[in-house]
Amino acid sequence: MSISQAILRHVPYLRRFARALSGSREGGDAYVLATLETAVADPTRLVADEDLKISLYRLFLEIWTSSPINAHTDHSGLAGEDETGARRNLDAISLQPRIAFLLHALEGFSLGEIARALAVTEARAAALIDTASAEIAGQLATDVLIIEDEPLIALDLRGLVEELGHRVVAVARTHKEAVDAISKTPPGLILADIQLADGSSGLAAVNEILGSLSTPVIFVTAYPERFLTGEPPEPAFLIAKPFSVDSLKAIISQALFFDRRSHLKHNDKHK
């Protein structure tokens, strides 16, 4: 297998990680493209005697953190009654703990792999994950709409979401039920299966909901690679079935953070 073919095997998952880290499809994909272009232009940036996946993620992180806008957490625009909660939300994804937590929870990296990707010791990698877990646990709770037609999966999602301190306001099995649910209690977060058993689409339901409501969305699918092809439409936040508490916690924290930050910036522009 050629080096380019070997790299391509990891690209869909690097794009998933990049989107979760940056908070958008466009932003994440731009950094992945820059990483691939760098690897092609200078193959020595990929460490020859190291696992290619780790080397590729490390190169991505070098490029991502080299941008000044990614080098710190933005605490601007925080004032009044929202300051304490918003600052806690922002602090919960401070840079290195956030990266370490995503590598562990979303990408399944071991402590040793995280240490090599971040160029730190294993003890430091463990400390970063512990820090992220503690900070994320302190985030403000929100109301969650679950769009999932499989009862057992919906039950698992409800349990995990409630374990994280959030409140499930409805579980919708179809496109129509999902649209009807938001008229009763507008959610602060949506977890949606992409393909529903009755033939309706979670993507279509979410697109209709977002026409009248601004809220972060996390899509759940057994086949994430089918939706990480580079062809639109593609979700920014994606979690694979079967999911774990850590992976769900990581994606929820990212989705809520970027939604919170966008609202803060929007409010700041209108002061």
Side-chain angles (χ1 to χ4, degrees):
M1 182 184 297
S2 69
I3 185 68
S4 60
Q5 290 175 316
I7 288 174
L8 285 175
R9 293 174 54 197
H10 301 299
V11 168
Y13 301 98
L14 181 61
R15 293 177 68 220
R16 177 182 63 182
F17 173 76
R19 291 174 183 193
L21 186 61
S22 67
S24 74
R25 178 178 64 84
E26 295 81 2
D29 287 354
Y31 282 107
V32 170
L33 178 60
T35 301
L36 298 177
E37 289 174 342
T38 301
V40 169
D42 184 6
T44 63
R45 297 289 296 275
L46 297 175
V47 181
D49 60 350
E50 187 173 63
D51 182 283
L52 178 61
K53 181 178 180 180
I54 297 171
S55 194
L56 185 64
Y57 275 69
R58 183 163 63 198
L59 177 58
F60 166 83
L61 288 169
E62 288 174 3
I63 292 171
W64 190 82
T65 55
S66 68
S67 174
I69 197 171
N70 297 325
H72 68 284
T73 301
D74 181 7
H75 288 179
S76 63
L78 305 181
E81 296 179 358
D82 284 342
E83 181 172 2
T84 301
R87 186 173 299 279
R88 181 166 67 246
N89 203 356
L90 290 166
D91 286 343
I93 64 162
S94 51
L95 187 57
Q96 274 208 315
R98 174 159 55 111
I99 293 171
F101 191 84
L102 285 173
L103 287 173
H104 169 67
L106 188 61
E107 300 304 311
F109 278 36
S110 67
L111 279 181
E113 291 170 334
I114 294 169
R116 292 198 295 277
L118 294 178
V120 298
T121 65
E122 287 195 26
R124 174 61 177 162
L128 290 171
I129 293 171
D130 288 343
T131 297
S133 297
E135 292 173 340
I136 289 169
Q139 285 186 353
L140 297 177
T142 193
D143 290 337
V144 180
L145 167 64
I146 296 174
I147 306 174
E148 171 61 64
D149 65 316
E150 296 185 36
L152 292 179
I153 294 178
L155 187 63
D156 283 345
L157 280 172
R158 177 189 280 275
L160 291 177
V161 164
E162 291 177 344
E163 184 179 328
L164 295 176
H166 304 294
R167 183 169 73 104
V168 175
V169 294
V171 176
R173 300 180 63 254
T174 65
H175 180 145
K176 183 179 185 303
E177 287 181 8
V179 173
D180 289 344
I182 68 161
S183 65
K184 299 174 183 176
T185 307
L189 175 71
I190 297 174
L191 294 177
D193 193 357
I194 287 179
Q195 189 62 51
L196 304 178
D198 69 345
S200 62
S201 166
L203 275 171
V206 166
N207 284 337
E208 182 172 343
I209 289 170
L210 293 182
S212 59
L213 177 70
S214 176
T215 190
V217 179
I218 299 170
F219 286 100
V220 184
T221 176
Y223 306 100
E225 64 278 0
R226 294 182 183 177
F227 300 93
L228 295 169
T229 62
E231 297 296 326
E234 286 187 315
F237 297 104
L238 192 71
I239 188 169
K241 297 177 182 178
F243 43 81
S244 67
V245 173
D246 281 346
S247 61
L248 189 64
K249 184 190 296 184
I251 291 296
I252 286 177
S253 71
Q254 290 297 95
L256 290 177
F257 166 71
F258 282 106
D259 178 68
R260 178 66 176 185
R261 187 171 70 174
S262 69
H263 284 301
L264 288 169
K265 290 182 176 180
H266 176 78
N267 291 339
D268 188 53
K269 287 178 183 178
H270 290 79
K271 287 181 180 179

